[in-house]
Amino acid sequence: MTRPPVPQGNYVAAKRHGDLVHTSGMTPRDNGVLMFTGRVNPGAPVESYQAAVELATKNALTSARLLLAPHERVAGVLSLTVYIAAESEFTAHARLADFASAYLQGEIGDEGIGCRAAIGVASLPGNAPVEIQLIAIVASHQFLP
């Protein structure tokens, strides 16, 4: 089983309301340890940040999945927000966010692609390069064709 993300403050990793699960912002941590640090550099290939984006996205999806009943699944993503701590000259925010979208599509299918915002920020908790927040749609397995 995948380990749940460890909150770094006074909050919960995810909260459910009806058929929606909202996650907190997730950074690229493994068992509470930040695995990637530093601001995104415009001179580096965007692929050098793919693992950080995917880990943060995995943490958000894991947080959502941990709130599901045994007969439920994450059926889609309603909204995805990708925060990127980047140097001011960096302009490829959408390309980094595409790594998060591709990860979700690989895990969920085409319904893993939802509305999205890619936002550049001055800094993120712990000096993380990225932070992912999503709203997941929950469905019951019993209604699958």
Side-chain angles (χ1 to χ4, degrees), residues 14-23 64 67-68 72-79 134-139:
K15 188 122 179 163
R16 182 171 178 171
H17 181 73
D19 291 336
L20 297 178
V21 176
H22 294 251
T23 71
L67 295 181
L68 303 179
E72 295 177 322
R73 66 185 174 91
V74 171
V77 172
L78 185 63
S79 178
L134 60 83
I135 302 171
I137 302 165
V138 177

Side-chain angles (χ1 to χ4, degrees), residues 60-122:
L61 185 56
T62 297
S63 295
R65 285 178 168 161
L66 288 171
L67 295 181
L68 303 179
H71 66 281
E72 295 177 322
R73 66 185 174 91
V74 171
V77 172
L78 185 63
S79 178
L80 171 67
T81 306
V82 180
Y83 298 96
I84 301 163
E87 301 291 335
S88 62
E89 297 82 22
F90 183 77
T91 60
H93 299 76
R95 290 187 58 208
L96 280 186
D98 282 343
F99 294 133
S101 294
Y103 179 86
L104 292 166
Q105 186 175 30
E107 288 287 312
I108 300 168
D110 288 343
E111 291 299 314
I113 304 295
C115 299
R116 183 180 86 183
I119 303 167
V121 298

